[in-house]
Amino acid sequence: MKVLVPVKRVIDYNVKARVKADQTGVDLANVKMSMNPFCEIAVEEAVRLKEKGAATEVVAVSVGPTQAQETLRTALAMGADRAILVQTDQDLEPLAVAKVLKAVIAEEAPELVLMGKQAIDGDNNAVGQMLSALLDWPQATFASEVTIGGGKATVTREVDGGLQTIDVTLPAVVTADLRLNEPRYASLPNIMKAKKKPLDVKELGSLGVDTAPRLKVVKVTEPAKRSAGIKVETAGDLVSNLKTAGVL
Amino acid sequence: MAVLVIADHDNATLKDNTHKVVTAAQGIGGDVDILVAGTNVAAVAAEAAKIAGVRKVLTAESAELGQGLAEAVADLIVGLAPGYDAILTPATSQGKNFSPRVAAKLDVAQISDVTEVVSADTFTHPIYAGNAMETVQSSDAKKVLTVRPTAFKAAAEGGSAKVESVAAPAAPAKTKFVDQKIVKSARPELGAAKIVVSGGRAMGSAEEFQKVIEPLADKLGAAVGASRAAVDAGYAPNDYQVGQTGKVVAPELYVAIGISGAIQHLAGMKDSKVIVAINKDPDAPIFQVADFGLVADYKAAVPELMSALG
């Protein structure tokens, strides 16, 4: 079974995003970038499937600028076999990313797409579901456990207030939630080995996909600021303040 | 103009999120209909019909709709879409599961987690875990939105909309429901709770976390949360995690105990109405966002707080 893992290069999760003064977006100049945390979980799960013998090949794919090759090298160092970059400097919307991935899937024919549930930049939580809809494949989102067998994936999903288990016939799209696993750190020998693994670069234009934006960004602003409140001296003061504030 | 709101319910009762999304729909303008998809939803539909300003309530029933299978729910909504200019879904895990599927089938963008309806085609939503607010104008003929319920007031009751049933779609061929385990906790759900009590790494152990945080949460009728540091250290399960990579919460009252206030935690709770921080380090960043700060060791402060609450 071939597993395709889409990964995204995003601002590192420990870095605070700062809005540009001209309100056109978030300032990413000289900011540490990393693999989206949910994508790391997806890569880890795909590599574990291979280690268990359930997968034969893990292919990482990213849609983004040339620097996204670093993100793909991280996936290779974690254990992916090869990587594909669909190179573009456009900031694509989720629907466009899903269409690009569909085009890659038409060439690669994986039986499973395993990807993060959302990227921590746009926070849209949409590409996996959209890809599954465009492919007419079943979807299993927010996975906390994935078992492969008998031409299907049995997926335990994080739902409001608990867990749901569903069976999806392969090929399918599965999106990873936090509890699926704890991603490994790539070891130095594996980082060295990853440099020699194949990384294929395609120009976005070569795929013939309509990626025109549907949304115009009017402005990006700072959220309403919270100011520090008061320090109280005792637990009793705290309770009386909370009663005055009307929250107790 | 007509807007379709997808009801949030558990096949037994209608959730307040529905009322809040109706308010967002009224901001777009035009007729507002509510879709209740599930099994045996007559009682839920009757509750939805009482929301003021609703034109009609549509019901569709099948086993797969009751199980919330995304393929079934999305097929149903796509079938109804020709009658609507906008489709609004509460941004719950259920809504987030099917709504992007609807958008892709209609070949339109989805705008996720909308917190403000600026006009019929322009919406604001948080990006970067709420560290930035993005306002976008959609050029799509149909708008597909998920709406963050905590950002809108609940629509009033007092209406008497008519209820109509529509045909359920065929069962999905490639997805089968196996089972569901909904935790029957006496505590409210973290994402929907009015009060959240969270513990951090200062707890030092899972036993201490349970001994300190959980009784206080139960006294306040609160949900329990944790910082990523506490989760990483194994003091609390991962589904307690509040933060950029965990749950984003906005309760009336958020009580942070022994939490320093790392960026990624603040991103998950800074929209709470009132924030309380208890930490022995007076320089902890959590105090910069707290309305009420108590500089004290939680070991002394939490028992005092318990007795002050009576």
Side-chain angles (χ1 to χ4, degrees):
Chain A
M1 180 180 76
K2 186 197 274 190
V3 184
L4 190 85
V5 188
V7 296
K8 187 173 187 185
R9 175 179 183 263
V10 298
I11 189 168
D12 187 86
Y13 85 94
N14 278 316
V15 175
K16 185 174 178 352
R18 304 219 177 260
V19 172
K20 287 187 199 166
D22 64 1
Q23 300 196 338
T24 55
V26 165
D27 193 358
L28 296 179
N30 304 315
V31 167
K32 185 184 178 201
M33 305 292 279
S34 300
M35 189 191 295
N36 177 44
F38 291 104
C39 301
E40 283 187 334
I41 296 171
V43 172
E44 175 67 34
E45 194 67 17
V47 171
R48 288 187 191 184
L49 286 174
K50 191 177 172 199
E51 288 167 349
K52 278 189 276 193
T56 51
E57 187 183 24
V58 176
V59 182
V61 55
S62 193
V63 183
T66 186
Q67 297 91 323
Q69 290 191 31
E70 294 161 20
T71 312
L72 289 168
R73 291 287 173 205
T74 304
L76 294 170
M78 288 174 72
D81 297 294
R82 61 189 174 87
I84 302 166
L85 173 64
V86 179
Q87 190 169 306
T88 174
D89 288 328
Q90 287 180 56
D91 189 15
L92 299 185
E93 292 172 7
L95 182 62
V97 174
K99 288 179 178 181
V100 170
L101 291 174
K102 185 187 176 190
V104 172
I105 286 163
E107 290 176 15
E108 290 288 333
E111 283 162 274
L112 179 65
V113 175
L114 195 49
M115 57 196 290
K117 71 166 181 175
Q118 79 188 71
I120 61 165
D121 50 3
D123 278 332
N124 287 295
N125 192 333
V127 174
Q129 298 89 317
M130 287 180 156
L131 176 62
S132 142
L134 297 176
L135 291 165
D136 260 320
W137 288 7
Q139 70 177 52
T141 55
F142 321 148
S144 62
E145 198 181 341
V146 178
T147 316
I148 305 291
K152 63 183 195 258
T154 300
V155 179
T156 301
R157 306 180 51 240
E158 307 258 351
V159 296
D160 300 309
L163 297 170
Q164 180 189 62
T165 304
I166 58 173
D167 279 346
V168 289
T169 306
L170 300 177
V173 177
V174 173
T175 75
D177 215 321
L178 272 179
R179 288 203 285 179
L180 184 57
N181 59 50
E182 282 188 31
R184 70 192 68 190
Y185 290 100
S187 66
L188 190 59
N190 284 338
I191 292 170
M192 300 311 289
K193 261 195 264 174
K195 292 185 178 167
K196 298 202 182 85
K197 289 183 179 176
L199 194 163
D200 185 18
V201 179
K202 298 173 193 292
E203 282 300 321
L204 175 66
S206 71
L207 293 174
V209 176
D210 168 21
T211 57
R214 308 300 184 83
L215 305 176
K216 187 179 95 182
V217 176
V218 178
K219 62 177 178 179
V220 175
T221 57
E222 292 264 356
K225 277 237 184 323
R226 277 197 96 92
S227 43
I230 58 165
K231 293 264 169 69
V232 294
E233 294 301 321
T234 67
D237 290 351
L238 179 58
V239 170
S240 55
N241 272 296
L242 292 176
K243 282 185 176 151
T244 311
V247 289
L248 277 188
Chain B
M1 281 283 279
V3 182
L4 183 64
V5 169
I6 316 303
D8 182 18
H9 67 92
D10 57 5
N11 295 312
T13 55
L14 184 70
K15 300 206 177 161
D16 195 41
N17 286 340
T18 314
H19 299 69
K20 293 175 173 175
V21 178
V22 165
T23 300
Q26 286 165 343
I28 293 175
D31 294 319
V32 177
D33 292 351
I34 298 178
L35 172 65
V36 182
T39 44
N40 302 318
V41 294
V44 177
E47 286 181 67
K50 288 188 213 151
I51 301 177
V54 171
R55 179 176 63 173
K56 61 183 174 184
V57 174
L58 304 174
T59 62
E61 296 182 301
S62 74
E64 293 75 23
L65 293 172
Q67 293 152 354
L69 297 187
E71 292 84 350
V73 181
D75 282 356
L76 172 66
I77 298 169
V78 169
L80 296 169
Y84 296 95
D85 303 285
I87 298 163
L88 273 58
T89 300
T92 58
S93 58
Q94 164 67 350
K96 290 174 181 177
N97 187 33
F98 64 74
S99 183
R101 197 172 175 94
V102 171
K105 291 276 187 197
L106 296 173
D107 193 31
V108 304
Q110 169 177 283
I111 304 167
S112 301
D113 257 327
V114 168
T115 53
E116 187 188 350
V117 175
V118 178
S119 72
D121 66 358
T122 304
F123 310 94
T124 301
H125 69 147
I127 55 174
Y128 293 87
N131 284 308
M133 303 301 291
E134 182 185 56
T135 302
V136 291
Q137 183 175 28
S138 166
S139 60
D140 284 320
K142 274 186 210 305
K143 321 300 181 212
V144 172
L145 318 180
T146 62
V147 175
R148 181 174 287 186
T150 52
F152 295 88
K153 285 197 163 58
E157 302 216 329
S160 56
K162 59 185 177 207
V163 178
E164 285 175 17
S165 79
V166 296
K174 297 181 222 165
T175 304
K176 294 271 175 289
F177 174 86
V178 179
D179 68 9
Q180 184 145 301
K181 293 190 189 78
I182 300 299
V183 181
K184 292 237 186 328
S185 165
R187 293 192 194 113
E189 205 183 297
L190 184 54
K194 289 199 160 53
I195 303 179
V196 174
V197 177
S198 287
R201 187 162 42 192
M203 299 298 115
S205 70
E207 294 71 33
E208 185 75 358
F209 189 96
Q210 281 164 17
K211 204 175 85 188
V212 173
I213 302 299
E214 298 191 356
L216 179 59
D218 291 341
K219 183 147 237 171
L220 291 166
V224 177
S227 68
R228 181 172 174 140
V231 171
D232 279 349
Y235 305 161
N238 213 343
D239 58 337
Y240 281 18
Q241 190 186 145
V242 172
Q244 183 157 14
T245 55
K247 288 199 168 65
V248 176
V249 300
E252 297 280 307
L253 174 60
Y254 188 89
V255 184
I257 298 174
I259 291 178
S260 63
I263 291 164
Q264 90 93 27
H265 184 75
L266 299 183
M269 45 63 85
K270 68 184 174 47
D271 291 331
S272 305
K273 191 171 158 215
V274 172
I275 296 173
V276 168
I278 299 176
N279 198 305
K280 67 180 173 187
D281 174 9
D283 298 323
I286 190 81
F287 288 121
Q288 291 164 19
V289 300
D291 299 280
F292 302 108
L294 178 58
V295 181
D297 189 332
Y298 77 86
K299 284 187 171 122
V302 172
E304 281 167 28
L305 183 55
M306 291 284 280
S307 63
L309 287 166

